[in-house]
Structures are given as C-alpha cells and as structure tokens.
C-alpha cells in the first residue's frame, strides 16, 4: 500500500539534488478548514477526500548556487522570474514522475501563484510542522530560522497526517527582537506598504529577518538577499558571467 511517507521519500529523492530540501506534510482538509470564505481561491483540491496529503516543499540557501548554474546554462534566464521557473521546472516534473511511478493522482500549487491557484503557504508551513509564525509574520524554522523559502504545495490522493507542531522557536523567545525591528521599519516607511516605498527601504524589512536569533548560520548570502528583495536581474547576470568565465578556464 502506498503511504504518504512513500510519496515523500520518492519526491525528496528527486528534488533534493536541485536544492529543495525542506518538506512537510499534513492532510489537505486540515489546511482547507482554516481558510475564510473570502479566501476560497486558496483552497487546495481534495482529489479523493479531505484526508489527502499535501506536501509542502521548500529550500534553504543551498539552492542558490544550483539555481545560478541553471540560470547560466539553460533557458530559464529568458523568463520574467527565473527562480519561479526553476521551481516549476524541477518540482512540476518531479511531482508528475512520482505520481506516475506510484500510480496516484496529484495537483500542484506554487507559492508565487495568485488566486485562484494560490496557496496560503505560511499557514501550510505551520500546520505541517515546518515552522512557527513569528510576531512579525515571518515563518521561523527550528534550524534555519527565517532563512528559508517555501515554493510549492503538492497534493496526492493518499491519506495524510494530522496537523503537527514545529519545535518551539518564536514561542520560546523571550526577547522578541523582531518586534523592535518592525517598529523601526514602520517608522522608516512612514506606515506605507506600496512597492516604491518597499524598494526604497528594503533594508529596514531585511532587518526584521536579521533580528531573529535563530538560524544565523543559515543566512542567505548578500547576492541572494539582494535578488530576493529587489528582483535585481543584474545579480543573476553577473553570477552567470562568472560561471561562464570559470567554465572557459576549465
């Protein structure tokens, strides 16, 4: 009999080499039950019923050099958001392959998709025991702290587990330095949250993540941070030129 553990193991074997090393699981009904009617577009499909498993897939900083190599050597560099395309490329193919191999149905939603194909990815991270939610709205992993990303939710028609709780991070924090960082960010931004204000003061937003005492060793590199916050393609292009130069040298 195929179990969600079988599926998770098979999926991890296919996506970990591409840098997607974080995985959580919960039954899809538990997730859907938390959504308000106004967010019905964020519901995940129940392929055989509410007990179907949904697997949350995420990554740490280990993905970055793998992604840069793909950017330099494949066609994803032509897309508007290459990192999203990298996720679709690997996770979509892997999910289809696992579903075919184990003869199960599946459906995939990406964290960057808008409604009606989106997913409340932070909520799913909490329900699947991957992270706790911080007072400033960041998901905090017990090892990586706030330095990880959530890419996709994949439903398979196999029974999934009930909600689980992540090891305590924010709930055990007594100092909560992120709150002071948020107050400074709000003051810096004048309470405005439009894109132009964010781009002008993105380092104040970054300071909330940097304030977390957990996962300091997992912090993204400066280039990765700049790309995530600013979507600055020049970061990717410069890295691509470096990769090509090293390849020519041999």
């Amino acid at each position: 009999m195929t179990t969600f553990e079988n599926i998770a193991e098979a999926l991890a074997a296919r996506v970990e080499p591409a840098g997607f090393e974080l995985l959580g699981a919960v039954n899809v009904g538990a997730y859907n039950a938390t959504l308000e009617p106004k967010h019905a577009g964020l519901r995940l499909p129940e392929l055989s019923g509410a007990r179907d498993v949904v697997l949350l897939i995420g990554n740490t900083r280990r993905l970055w050099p793998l992604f840069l190599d793909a950017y330099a050597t494949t066609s994803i560099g032509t897309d508007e958001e290459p990192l999203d395309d990298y996720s679709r490329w690997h996770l979509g193919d892997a999910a289809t392959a696992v579903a075919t191999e184990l003869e199960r149905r599946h459906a995939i939603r990406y964290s960057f998709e808008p409604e009606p194909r989106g997913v409340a990815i932070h909520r799913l991270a909490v329900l699947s025991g991957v992270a706790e939610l911080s007072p400033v709205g960041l998901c905090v992993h017990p090892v990586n702290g706030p330095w990880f990303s959530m890419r996709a939710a994949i439903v398979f028609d196999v029974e999934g587990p009930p909600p689980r709780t992540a090891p305590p991070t924010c709930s055990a924090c007594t100092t909560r330095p992120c709150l002071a960082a948020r107050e400074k960010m709000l003051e810096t931004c004048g309470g405005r949250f439009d894109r132009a204000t964010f781009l002008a003061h993105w380092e104040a937003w970054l300071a909330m993540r940097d304030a977390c005492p957990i996962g300091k060793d997992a912090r993204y590199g400066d280039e990765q941070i700049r790309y995530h916050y600013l979507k600055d393609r020049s970061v990717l292009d410069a890295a691509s030129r470096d990769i090509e130069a090293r390849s020519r040298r041999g």
Side-chain angles (χ1 to χ4, degrees), residues 93-167:
D93 286 354
T96 299
V98 169
T100 301
E101 177 185 337
L102 299 179
E103 299 182 337
R104 312 308 306 188
R105 290 181 292 157
H106 80 290
I108 187 167
R109 300 288 184 269
Y110 296 98
S111 61
F112 44 82
E113 290 183 297
E115 294 187 51
R117 281 188 52 87
V119 55
I121 204 76
H122 286 65
R123 191 169 306 188
L124 186 57
V126 172
L127 289 170
S128 62
V130 168
E132 283 194 328
L133 194 64
S134 78
V136 298
L138 295 171
C139 279
V140 179
H141 184 271
V143 175
N144 299 290
W147 300 103
F148 73 104
S149 299
M150 296 163 286
R151 297 295 172 191
I154 310 175
V155 180
F156 290 89
D157 60 342
V158 171
E159 184 174 336
R164 57 188 70 183
T165 303

Side-chain angles (χ1 to χ4, degrees), residues 61 144 146-147 202 206-207 209-210 214-222 224-225:
R61 61 181 291 166
N144 299 290
W147 300 103
W202 66 274
L206 172 63
R209 186 170 261 111
D210 272 329
I214 300 174
K216 295 294 188 182
D217 292 340
R219 188 181 190 269
Y220 293 168
D222 291 343
Q224 185 175 3
I225 287 172

Side-chain angles (χ1 to χ4, degrees), residues 18 23 29 40 46 49 75 94 102 135 139 168 171 180 183 187-188 192 205 243:
L23 190 149
E46 299 175 4
S75 62
L102 299 179
C139 279
S171 60
E183 289 304 310
E187 180 182 350
T188 299
R192 297 188 299 274
W205 288 80
I243 290 170

